[in-house]
Amino acid sequence: MASFLSASEENWFAEQADIWFDTFKGNIVVHKEPIKTIKITNSNQLFGYGQAGQTNSEQIEYTPRSQSFDAVIKYGSNQDLDIVGDIKAYVTSQNLVSIIVKPNAKEYINKDKTEKIVFDSKSYNTISNGALKSFFSAIYYEYILQEIT
């Protein structure tokens, strides 16, 4: 079946979507669950330790993980909603924001546990999965976020 648009027109629309993204993008920081590292030391090796029956000591360290991405941030209205757009997120609260990100940010957000997303000096939780927003060859994903109060 023939396409309504030529390949050059489709490329033009994809380029316009990329220009739109670059024009309105802001910076977000995605914070992941920290990596937990447990160090066990044998106190019998140290002179003067271990006489009271304590043979091993445990030290827990948390290594924070975060990465910065570009995103278009769309602040919504503070009204109650049943279903938000294509994402099918059922929400009945206020302070909703949507972000539109590129595929590399989507992969990072969906991998492991995302603790929070920070921008404009506020923290947010994701309340939806990334919904595909395709403009021919320009691929983006939209998330609905709720402010952490």
Side-chain angles (χ1 to χ4, degrees):
M1 183 183 337
S3 175
F4 180 68
L5 299 173
S6 68
S8 63
E9 290 172 325
E10 289 180 4
N11 289 337
W12 182 85
F13 278 109
E15 289 172 6
Q16 297 309 305
D18 289 336
I19 290 171
W20 169 82
F21 185 87
D22 290 338
T23 301
F24 295 104
K25 69 183 177 186
N27 189 34
I28 64 170
V29 179
V30 180
H31 294 270
K32 304 302 277 185
E33 187 174 48
I35 297 174
K36 182 178 181 179
T37 306
I38 301 173
K39 289 184 178 180
I40 299 175
T41 57
N42 186 349
S43 59
N44 288 334
Q45 297 175 1
L46 304 173
F47 180 73
Y49 291 95
Q51 288 85 6
Q54 182 181 4
T55 58
N56 292 329
S57 64
E58 189 176 279
Q59 182 180 8
I60 300 174
E61 292 181 6
Y62 292 95
T63 306
R65 296 184 299 154
S66 64
Q67 192 168 343
S68 179
F69 295 99
D70 291 330
V72 173
I73 302 164
K74 297 187 332 184
Y75 290 93
S77 61
N78 288 335
Q79 60 185 350
D80 291 342
L81 303 172
D82 291 327
I83 300 177
V84 180
D86 299 335
I87 298 175
K88 305 291 188 274
Y90 293 92
V91 294
T92 57
S93 60
Q94 298 179 352
N95 301 326
L96 297 179
V97 176
S98 70
I99 58 171
I100 298 175
V101 297
K102 291 187 175 183
N104 61 338
K106 177 243 181 199
E107 290 171 10
Y108 189 78
I109 291 169
N110 289 349
K111 182 181 174 187
D112 301 329
K113 182 182 179 202
T114 298
E115 287 192 336
K116 62 184 176 181
I117 298 175
V118 177
F119 53 89
D120 294 342
S121 302
K122 295 181 181 180
S123 298
Y124 298 87
N125 283 329
T126 59
I127 59 171
S128 70
N129 295 327
L132 176 65
K133 300 291 183 183
S134 174
F135 303 99
F136 297 103
S137 63
I139 305 294
Y140 299 99
Y141 294 89
E142 182 175 15
Y143 289 88
I144 300 295
L145 309 178
Q146 183 175 24
E147 185 177 355
I148 300 171
T149 54

